[in-house]
Amino acid sequence: MMTARDHGLLTCRSCGLLAEPQASSCKRCDSPLASRDTASLQHVWAWLVAGLIIYVPANLYPMLRTTQAFRSQESTIVGGVVDLVHHGAIAIAAIVFIASVVIPVGKFIVIAYLAVLLSQPGPKNAHRLHILYEAVEFIGRWSMIDVFVVAILVALVQFDVLASIQPGFAAACFALSVVFTMLSAQAFDPRMIWDATDEGAPHDA
Amino acid sequence: MTPEDNTTVTRPKVETRKRRFSLVWLMPVLAIAISAYVVWNNYNQRGPLITIVLQSGAGISAGATEVRIRDLKVGVVEDIGFSDGMAAVEVKVRLDKDIVGYVDEDAQFWLVEPQVTARGVTGIGTLLSGVYIAANWDGVEGEFKDRFTALTVPPLASVGEEGTRIVLRARAGGQLAAGAPVLTSGLEVGRIGQPELSKTGNTVTMEAFIFKPYDARLTSNTRFWDASGLSLNLGAQGLALKVDSLAALIEGGVTFGEPVTGGQLVSDGHVFDVFPTEAAARENAFEANVLPSINVSVLLDGDINGLNLDTLVRFRGIKAGEVADLVGVAVEDGSDNPVRLRVDLRLSPTRLGLSRDQTADEAIAQLKTRVANGLRARVGQEGLFGQTVILELVRLPEQPTAEITQGEDGRLYLPTAPTAEVDPNSGVNGLVARLSGLPIEELMAAATDALGNVSRLTTTADGLLQSEGLDRIPLTLDKTLGEMRTLVEAIRNGGAIDNLNATLQSADSALKSVDSAAASLPALSARLNTAAGNLEAVIAGYGDQSRLYGDLRGVLGDFARMAESFRSLARSIERNPSSLIRGR
């Protein structure tokens, strides 16, 4: 397999233009250029930590505040799932649980796994790592189901005294958490996956 | 291009030097900072957690049930569980921070549930919103307390309601229920609290709250009476049905008034008695001014039928107090009947002739002196037939000396005297004796005389009618004589005389018959007068000197006397009917 690096060239991560090794920015799109962005791991960790932190209040605080005829009820994400199960809506409960718990937590784990693995030298299964990376990237945009549900409910159910639904503090936290993990996944420089699997190929000259 | 061609190509150097700390790290720092702020802020805003012990957790759910003051939320139930031993339910409530200062000893909590009572529906909002815990405390900050026991009934007065708290004392078994209204002039001016049975079980006390400004009407002369239900009054004006209020009919209630003016204003905690009727309350007010009372007891042997609470205590014929309590007590004196009846008396010193300004001790000392002079308590009777049992305080100097003793229970015991002998003049026997003492024989003799005279008159009149000179009598006289004969027949055979006869001969129905006879007497006498008038007219037709004239004159005199005697009998019965009964 031949890479731009093998030819002494740099690739722009934004537009794919090859550049001279000395170039510090892309001629076409003016993005900063680097053969391997080792700083990207820092970005990954930073966004991941931010996402993790913000995920805590997203679970502790109420996602929805439902008011039904003088009686208001606040439900957290997990509490909502439990309620749904109690009401027998197993399928919906499963969707909500997967979208708001399994996927975010899985994302945290996968990103952390990738970052840890890439910062350590040694042979790796590049194909598997790449699939993981792609999966994280792909899934990221689907993690907002909860936020969408809240947004739709808030818009639809507003009958003043009889019934109304207000978004809770957790909705904002959850959205931020999703955003942060997406940024974290995007900060990855996938080229490092290749390097790590390039047996014997030294990264340095 | 092949790799071989580019052997000279140098790979771009991968920068491995540690780059300076990326600015992206600011994001997690910011996230931590924000989270920390939120957490701290939240924690800081948290009010205290208090525990409320309830009898039942009906409808309470953690996280949803609110604590409200004046219908504003001031806290939320966080947790609900059992207290030790599952005897009650413990509810943990997170209160708002800004009311912490007021949660002190006087805070009260109670559960508000929908209630349907005679006076309407309360707490209807809780049907939809679920129950809530209502709170109440004064606006004065105090030492924080974190454990409360919920009230079983809402407090009488909610926060900010002004008025006077009084205590009502009623006879046990009344209709009064917590929340029942206090009325005056038909207005609801207060509420009654939870009734509590006294230790002796004879009375029930309850708090009551009279709202401002009506509490200004409460004075020491105010009297309360039971307004529960109907009062039916059969009187001269007919049948009077009175209902104070429909709510009072169902729930009970008291009403108050001030039969006597000039009382002093009362303060919180004043004890008022609740009288069963308005009449009793008014009577009590007029007989008031007897405080302070002297409390003494007497021990009575045997069964005293008719002795009960409020039985009168008479001293020289006037009411000197009443029976406050009746208790059977065991007395260890070796007799075969160790159970005695202890009667607690409430005597008013002024009615005993003691000075008002005396202290209770001084009054007791005076009472001791009187006992030494022979004052005794005894069971007596009064009423027309001696049917009402009373207690009498009488001076009986011939009784063996005795003194006021103090029992082990601290009570003062008055010495007793044997029950008074029944007055032979009282009771049904007395009535019969009085009736038989009436001068009935004399009356009968007088009446027989009168009847004899009437007979003679009739005979004379017959002779007159059959005399030779009859045809010479003018037609008018004939007619008059005819009338007279009818009259005489009527007197002889008529009901009046028979009635009177029967009356006088029958002692059993004496009272009733004499009464009706008395009613017919004036009529009889009037008829006799008419007869006399008619006779006079006859006489006028004859010569002054005739024999008939003389006879008639005599008859006339008899007639007049008889009429007079009947009239006076009628008058005396009319004026003084009781003389028949009393015999004087």
Side-chain angles (χ1 to χ4, degrees), chain A residues 2 5-10 21 35-36 38-39 42-43 45-47 49-50 53 61 69-71 169 180 202-203, chain B residues 1 3 6 9-15 19-22 24-25 27-28 31-32 35 38-39 42 61 128-130:
Chain A
M2 193 173 290
R5 185 179 150 82
D6 293 337
H7 294 276
L9 294 170
L10 294 175
S35 180
R36 292 294 183 268
T38 49
Q42 266 196 48
H43 290 229
W45 281 118
W47 288 121
V49 169
I53 289 168
Y61 281 88
F70 313 113
R71 173 170 228 164
F169 181 64
F180 287 169
H203 292 172
Chain B
M1 249 187 348
N6 290 315
V9 170
T10 54
R11 293 170 131 187
K13 190 176 160 120
V14 173
E15 289 186 64
R19 296 260 293 271
R20 65 182 171 80
F21 211 65
S22 172
V24 181
W25 282 107
M27 280 317 297
I32 287 180
S35 298
V38 168
V39 167
N42 214 327
S61 58
L128 296 169
S129 66

Side-chain angles (χ1 to χ4, degrees), chain B residues 35-339:
Chain B
S35 298
Y37 171 76
V38 168
V39 167
W40 175 82
N41 193 39
N42 214 327
Y43 182 79
N44 203 31
Q45 288 296 309
R46 261 156 60 114
L49 192 68
I50 61 166
T51 305
I52 300 172
V53 180
L54 293 158
Q55 281 312 303
S56 144
I60 297 177
S61 58
T65 303
E66 296 175 355
V67 175
R68 299 187 197 168
I69 292 181
R70 301 188 185 211
D71 265 349
L72 272 188
K73 178 183 168 186
V74 295
V76 166
V77 172
E78 276 202 352
D79 191 21
I80 179 166
F82 289 109
S83 60
D84 294 340
M86 298 180 84
V89 171
E90 276 190 4
V91 174
K92 304 249 189 259
V93 174
R94 178 72 65 188
L95 289 176
D96 287 357
K97 199 187 175 190
D98 46 355
I99 55 159
V100 174
Y102 304 110
V103 187
D104 49 19
E105 193 63 45
D106 64 346
Q108 297 171 315
F109 298 89
W110 66 99
L111 197 63
V112 177
E113 296 169 293
Q115 270 189 328
V116 182
T117 65
R119 284 177 306 140
V121 182
T122 57
I124 196 162
T126 59
L127 279 176
L128 296 169
S129 66
V131 301
Y132 64 91
I133 295 172
N136 185 16
W137 52 72
D138 64 21
V140 182
E141 300 202 10
E143 196 179 337
F144 178 71
K145 194 182 165 214
D146 66 350
R147 195 178 174 85
F148 299 94
T149 303
L151 305 175
T152 49
V153 288
L156 276 178
S158 62
V159 57
E161 257 185 327
E162 287 187 84
T164 304
R165 277 168 193 279
I166 53 169
V167 177
L168 295 179
R169 187 169 54 197
R171 188 77 58 79
Q175 291 286 317
L176 299 172
V182 177
L183 308 161
T184 185
S185 313
L187 278 178
E188 185 175 335
V189 297
R191 272 193 297 267
I192 293 175
Q194 185 72 20
E196 281 172 23
L197 200 62
S198 69
K199 277 181 189 149
T200 56
N202 283 326
T203 57
V204 169
T205 59
M206 66 211 93
E207 271 207 319
F209 187 78
I210 312 294
F211 308 132
K212 212 169 177 160
Y214 305 104
D215 59 345
R217 292 191 54 184
L218 292 175
T219 68
S220 54
N221 280 346
T222 301
R223 291 293 179 276
F224 283 78
W225 60 91
D226 198 341
S228 320
L230 311 163
S231 74
L232 198 62
N233 221 331
L234 187 62
Q237 280 80 38
L239 197 64
L241 177 70
K242 196 175 165 213
V243 188
D244 275 293
S245 96
L246 199 59
L249 177 65
I250 296 163
E251 273 192 311
V254 293
T255 182
F256 68 86
E258 201 184 24
V260 187
T261 53
Q264 292 143 1
L265 280 175
V266 301
S267 51
D268 276 9
H270 191 91
V271 179
F272 288 102
D273 280 313
V274 178
F275 294 91
T277 62
E278 180 175 355
R282 291 194 180 278
E283 188 184 336
N284 178 279
F286 291 124
E287 289 197 0
N289 314 328
V290 293
L291 296 172
S293 58
I294 307 176
N295 295 311
V296 292
S297 305
V298 294
L299 278 179
L300 297 174
D301 283 329
D303 309 320
I304 315 291
N305 274 341
L307 203 60
N308 46 32
L309 290 183
D310 291 351
T311 290
L312 283 182
V313 178
R314 286 213 185 276
F315 173 68
R316 293 186 177 166
I318 61 165
K319 180 188 171 183
E322 63 212 356
V323 171
D325 204 355
L326 292 164
V327 188
V329 290
V331 177
E332 298 293 334
D333 60 354
S335 64
D336 53 346
N337 179 19
V339 178

